[in-house]
Amino acid sequence: ETGVTQSPTHLIKTRGQQVTLRCSSQSGHNTVSWYQQALGQGPQFIFQYYREEENGRGNFPPRFSGLQFPNYSSELNVNALELDDSALYLCASWSSGANVLTFGAGSRLTVL
Amino acid sequence: AQSVTQPDIHITVSEGASLELRCNYSYGATPYLFWYVQSPGQGLQLLLKYFSGDTLVQGIKGFEAEFKRSQSSFNLRKPSVHWSDAAEYFCAVGAGNNDMRFGAGTRLTVKP
Protein backbone atom coordinates (compact mmCIF):
# COMPACT_ATOMS: atom_id res chain seq x y z
CA GLU A 1 0.00 0.00 0.00
CA THR A 2 1.63 3.22 -1.16
CA GLY A 3 1.39 6.60 0.57
CA VAL A 4 2.52 8.46 -2.54
CA THR A 5 -0.15 9.64 -4.97
CA GLN A 6 0.41 11.13 -8.40
CA SER A 7 -1.77 12.99 -10.86
CA PRO A 8 -2.73 12.83 -13.61
CA THR A 9 -2.35 9.12 -14.32
CA HIS A 10 -2.25 9.62 -18.08
CA LEU A 11 -1.92 12.63 -20.33
CA ILE A 12 -1.17 13.46 -23.93
CA LYS A 13 0.69 16.56 -25.06
CA THR A 14 2.13 17.79 -28.32
CA ARG A 15 5.73 18.67 -29.00
CA GLY A 16 6.69 22.12 -27.72
CA GLN A 17 4.02 22.24 -25.02
CA GLN A 18 4.60 22.39 -21.29
CA VAL A 19 3.39 19.91 -18.67
CA THR A 20 3.06 19.86 -14.89
CA LEU A 21 2.89 16.60 -12.99
CA ARG A 22 1.89 16.48 -9.35
CA CYS A 23 2.79 14.31 -6.41
CA SER A 24 1.61 14.06 -2.85
CA SER A 25 4.07 12.23 -0.66
CA GLN A 26 3.76 10.72 2.76
CA SER A 27 3.46 13.01 5.73
CA GLY A 28 6.81 13.54 7.41
CA HIS A 29 8.82 12.54 4.35
CA ASN A 30 10.88 15.64 3.66
CA THR A 31 12.67 14.24 0.63
CA VAL A 32 11.00 13.67 -2.72
CA SER A 33 12.61 12.37 -5.88
CA TRP A 34 11.41 12.24 -9.46
CA TYR A 35 12.33 9.53 -11.94
CA GLN A 36 11.70 9.08 -15.65
CA GLN A 37 11.05 5.56 -16.89
CA ALA A 38 11.05 5.18 -20.66
CA LEU A 39 9.39 2.13 -22.16
CA GLY A 40 11.45 -0.98 -21.53
CA GLN A 41 13.95 0.85 -19.32
CA GLY A 42 14.65 1.21 -15.65
CA PRO A 43 13.85 4.47 -13.87
CA GLN A 44 16.33 7.32 -14.39
CA PHE A 45 16.90 9.87 -11.63
CA ILE A 46 15.76 13.38 -12.60
CA PHE A 47 16.18 15.33 -9.39
CA GLN A 48 15.47 15.41 -5.69
CA TYR A 49 14.07 18.00 -3.32
CA TYR A 50 14.65 18.30 0.38
CA ARG A 51 12.77 20.87 2.42
CA GLU A 52 11.75 22.75 -0.73
CA GLU A 53 15.27 22.99 -2.16
CA GLU A 54 16.74 20.95 -5.01
CA ASN A 55 19.65 18.97 -3.57
CA GLY A 56 20.51 16.54 -6.33
CA ARG A 57 20.05 16.28 -10.07
CA GLY A 58 20.59 13.63 -12.69
CA ASN A 59 21.56 14.10 -16.32
CA PHE A 60 18.46 16.04 -17.38
CA PRO A 61 18.35 19.48 -19.04
CA PRO A 62 17.09 22.63 -17.27
CA ARG A 63 13.73 22.42 -19.00
CA PHE A 64 12.99 19.78 -16.36
CA SER A 65 12.26 21.69 -13.17
CA GLY A 66 10.47 21.09 -9.93
CA LEU A 67 8.93 22.50 -6.84
CA GLN A 68 8.31 21.11 -3.39
CA PHE A 69 5.76 22.58 -1.01
CA PRO A 70 5.53 22.57 2.80
CA ASN A 71 2.53 20.23 2.72
CA TYR A 72 4.69 17.37 1.28
CA SER A 73 3.37 17.87 -2.24
CA SER A 74 5.61 18.50 -5.21
CA GLU A 75 5.56 19.20 -8.93
CA LEU A 76 7.59 18.23 -11.94
CA ASN A 77 7.48 20.73 -14.79
CA VAL A 78 8.74 20.01 -18.27
CA ASN A 79 8.96 22.81 -20.83
CA ALA A 80 9.33 22.58 -24.60
CA LEU A 81 8.28 18.94 -24.70
CA GLU A 82 10.08 16.61 -27.06
CA LEU A 83 8.96 13.26 -28.41
CA ASP A 84 11.59 11.51 -26.27
CA ASP A 85 9.96 12.89 -23.14
CA SER A 86 7.24 10.28 -23.56
CA ALA A 87 7.63 8.10 -20.48
CA LEU A 88 6.26 7.10 -17.10
CA TYR A 89 7.20 9.71 -14.52
CA LEU A 90 7.56 8.38 -11.01
CA CYS A 91 7.55 10.32 -7.79
CA ALA A 92 9.11 8.78 -4.71
CA SER A 93 9.42 9.88 -1.12
CA TRP A 94 12.23 8.91 1.16
CA SER A 95 11.70 7.46 4.59
CA SER A 96 14.80 8.31 6.60
CA GLY A 97 13.76 5.90 9.32
CA ALA A 98 13.42 2.87 7.06
CA ASN A 99 15.93 4.15 4.48
CA VAL A 100 13.70 3.29 1.55
CA LEU A 101 12.09 5.05 -1.38
CA THR A 102 8.34 4.65 -1.66
CA PHE A 103 7.07 5.14 -5.20
CA GLY A 104 3.80 6.39 -6.53
CA ALA A 105 2.02 4.66 -9.42
CA GLY A 106 3.31 7.23 -11.88
CA SER A 107 2.04 9.61 -14.54
CA ARG A 108 2.27 8.33 -18.09
CA LEU A 109 3.07 11.14 -20.51
CA THR A 110 2.72 10.74 -24.24
CA VAL A 111 4.16 13.46 -26.47
CA LEU A 112 2.87 13.53 -30.05
CA ALA B 1 30.27 5.80 -11.01
CA GLN B 2 27.58 3.55 -9.67
CA SER B 3 25.72 1.29 -12.08
CA VAL B 4 23.59 -1.81 -12.12
CA THR B 5 23.48 -4.61 -14.69
CA GLN B 6 20.66 -7.09 -14.97
CA PRO B 7 21.94 -9.57 -17.56
CA ASP B 8 18.60 -11.24 -18.25
CA ILE B 9 16.05 -9.15 -20.11
CA HIS B 10 13.35 -11.82 -19.98
CA ILE B 11 13.00 -15.04 -18.01
CA THR B 12 10.26 -17.66 -18.26
CA VAL B 13 9.70 -20.20 -15.50
CA SER B 14 6.96 -22.71 -14.78
CA GLU B 15 4.69 -22.16 -11.84
CA GLY B 16 6.13 -23.92 -8.80
CA ALA B 17 9.68 -23.84 -10.13
CA SER B 18 12.50 -21.96 -8.44
CA LEU B 19 13.64 -18.55 -9.62
CA GLU B 20 16.89 -16.63 -9.60
CA LEU B 21 17.22 -13.14 -11.09
CA ARG B 22 20.73 -11.83 -11.48
CA CYS B 23 22.03 -8.41 -10.53
CA ASN B 24 25.57 -7.07 -10.71
CA TYR B 25 26.52 -3.65 -9.46
CA SER B 26 29.41 -1.24 -9.62
CA TYR B 27 29.88 1.03 -6.66
CA GLY B 28 32.86 2.66 -4.98
CA ALA B 29 31.79 2.16 -1.39
CA THR B 30 29.52 -0.09 0.59
CA PRO B 31 26.32 -0.02 -1.39
CA TYR B 32 22.73 0.07 -0.40
CA LEU B 33 21.03 -2.55 -2.58
CA PHE B 34 17.37 -2.95 -3.38
CA TRP B 35 15.01 -5.10 -5.39
CA TYR B 36 11.74 -3.61 -6.61
CA VAL B 37 8.87 -5.21 -8.53
CA GLN B 38 6.63 -3.43 -11.02
CA SER B 39 3.36 -4.80 -12.35
CA PRO B 40 2.06 -3.43 -15.68
CA GLY B 41 0.97 0.19 -15.39
CA GLN B 42 2.02 0.40 -11.77
CA GLY B 43 4.74 2.04 -9.73
CA LEU B 44 7.55 0.17 -8.03
CA GLN B 45 7.06 -1.89 -4.89
CA LEU B 46 10.01 -2.66 -2.63
CA LEU B 47 10.68 -6.38 -2.23
CA LEU B 48 13.76 -6.19 -0.03
CA LYS B 49 16.86 -4.18 0.79
CA TYR B 50 20.41 -4.70 1.99
CA PHE B 51 22.43 -2.14 3.89
CA SER B 52 24.79 -4.17 6.07
CA GLY B 53 24.99 -7.24 8.26
CA ASP B 54 23.67 -10.63 7.27
CA THR B 55 24.28 -11.05 3.55
CA LEU B 56 21.12 -13.09 3.05
CA VAL B 57 18.08 -10.84 3.32
CA GLN B 58 14.45 -11.83 3.40
CA GLY B 59 11.75 -9.81 1.72
CA ILE B 60 8.06 -9.83 1.07
CA LYS B 61 6.16 -12.41 -0.98
CA GLY B 62 8.68 -15.14 -0.15
CA PHE B 63 11.63 -13.51 -1.94
CA GLU B 64 15.18 -13.44 -0.68
CA ALA B 65 18.45 -12.03 -1.99
CA GLU B 66 22.10 -12.69 -1.25
CA PHE B 67 24.78 -10.02 -1.26
CA LYS B 68 28.14 -11.29 -2.49
CA ARG B 69 30.76 -8.58 -2.27
CA SER B 70 33.44 -10.65 -4.03
CA GLN B 71 31.19 -11.04 -7.06
CA SER B 72 29.53 -7.60 -6.83
CA SER B 73 26.22 -9.39 -7.03
CA PHE B 74 22.86 -9.21 -5.35
CA ASN B 75 20.76 -11.97 -6.89
CA LEU B 76 17.08 -12.37 -6.11
CA ARG B 77 15.64 -15.83 -5.44
CA LYS B 78 12.35 -17.50 -4.75
CA PRO B 79 12.01 -21.26 -4.13
CA SER B 80 8.57 -21.65 -5.73
CA VAL B 81 7.12 -19.15 -8.18
CA HIS B 82 3.43 -18.29 -8.28
CA TRP B 83 1.55 -17.03 -11.34
CA SER B 84 1.06 -13.70 -9.54
CA ASP B 85 4.84 -13.16 -9.52
CA ALA B 86 4.77 -12.34 -13.23
CA ALA B 87 6.05 -8.76 -13.42
CA GLU B 88 9.13 -6.64 -14.10
CA TYR B 89 11.89 -6.78 -11.51
CA PHE B 90 14.42 -4.03 -10.93
CA CYS B 91 17.64 -4.11 -8.98
CA ALA B 92 18.90 -0.77 -7.67
CA VAL B 93 21.99 0.59 -5.94
CA GLY B 94 22.49 3.78 -4.00
CA ALA B 95 24.11 5.42 -1.04
CA GLY B 96 20.89 6.59 0.39
CA ASN B 97 18.12 8.70 -0.95
CA ASN B 98 19.99 10.59 -3.66
CA ASP B 99 20.40 9.33 -7.19
CA MET B 100 19.50 5.70 -6.86
CA ARG B 101 20.59 3.79 -9.97
CA PHE B 102 18.33 1.13 -11.41
CA GLY B 103 19.05 -1.72 -13.76
CA ALA B 104 17.11 -2.07 -16.99
CA GLY B 105 14.90 -4.72 -15.44
CA THR B 106 14.10 -8.39 -15.94
CA ARG B 107 10.66 -9.36 -17.15
CA LEU B 108 9.38 -12.54 -15.54
CA THR B 109 6.82 -14.71 -17.30
CA VAL B 110 5.26 -17.61 -15.38
CA LYS B 111 3.96 -20.60 -17.34
CA PRO B 112 1.00 -22.52 -15.92
Side-chain angles (χ1 to χ4, degrees):
Chain A
E1 182 179 355
T2 181
V4 180
T5 56
Q6 294 186 242
S7 62
T9 54
H10 296 83
L11 70 167
I12 300 173
K13 293 285 188 178
T14 56
R15 195 171 51 181
Q17 285 189 311
Q18 179 266 343
V19 67
T20 297
L21 307 178
R22 293 179 174 82
C23 172
S24 177
S25 55
Q26 292 181 269
S27 179
H29 290 194
N30 295 321
T31 302
V32 65
S33 303
W34 285 89
Y35 286 79
Q36 179 196 66
Q37 186 179 17
L39 199 61
Q41 304 287 320
Q44 301 282 322
F45 176 70
I46 302 175
F47 48 55
Q48 175 178 282
Y49 277 78
Y50 174 69
R51 292 186 175 179
E52 303 165 49
E53 297 285 334
E54 184 180 302
N55 76 336
R57 191 176 186 92
N59 189 27
F60 281 81
R63 59 189 185 84
F64 286 78
S65 63
L67 287 171
Q68 186 185 23
F69 304 100
N71 64 351
Y72 306 108
S73 66
S74 64
E75 291 179 353
L76 165 65
N77 299 289
V78 187
N79 294 321
L81 284 167
E82 302 176 359
L83 298 180
D84 286 349
D85 295 333
S86 294
L88 180 68
Y89 288 86
L90 297 164
C91 172
S93 69
W94 177 258
S95 167
S96 57
N99 281 323
V100 294
L101 275 177
T102 300
F103 284 86
S107 294
R108 182 162 298 282
L109 170 66
T110 301
V111 182
L112 302 176
Chain B
Q2 58 196 47
S3 65
V4 176
T5 301
Q6 293 181 248
D8 305 305
I9 296 172
H10 184 206
I11 284 182
T12 299
V13 299
S14 298
E15 190 168 17
S18 64
L19 170 70
E20 182 169 26
L21 302 182
R22 296 183 292 164
C23 172
N24 294 99
Y25 68 89
S26 173
Y27 195 72
T30 302
Y32 289 6
L33 294 161
F34 306 83
W35 275 99
Y36 283 86
V37 61
Q38 185 177 38
S39 298
Q42 300 296 312
L44 281 76
Q45 181 184 22
L46 179 69
L47 288 176
L48 46 78
K49 63 186 179 184
Y50 172 79
F51 294 158
S52 64
D54 191 348
T55 56
L56 184 64
V57 293
Q58 302 297 319
I60 63 171
K61 304 184 179 184
F63 285 93
E64 65 178 27
E66 186 171 12
F67 170 60
K68 293 185 177 180
R69 185 186 299 275
S70 62
Q71 298 177 20
S72 297
S73 69
F74 188 57
N75 293 349
L76 181 71
R77 300 194 292 250
K78 186 169 184 176
S80 178
V81 171
H82 188 262
W83 64 265
S84 61
D85 293 324
E88 189 92 18
Y89 291 80
F90 293 94
C91 181
V93 64
N97 55 345
N98 202 319
D99 193 5
M100 186 179 293
R101 298 296 176 96
F102 286 82
T106 297
R107 182 162 60 93
L108 174 64
T109 298
V110 180
K111 294 190 301 184

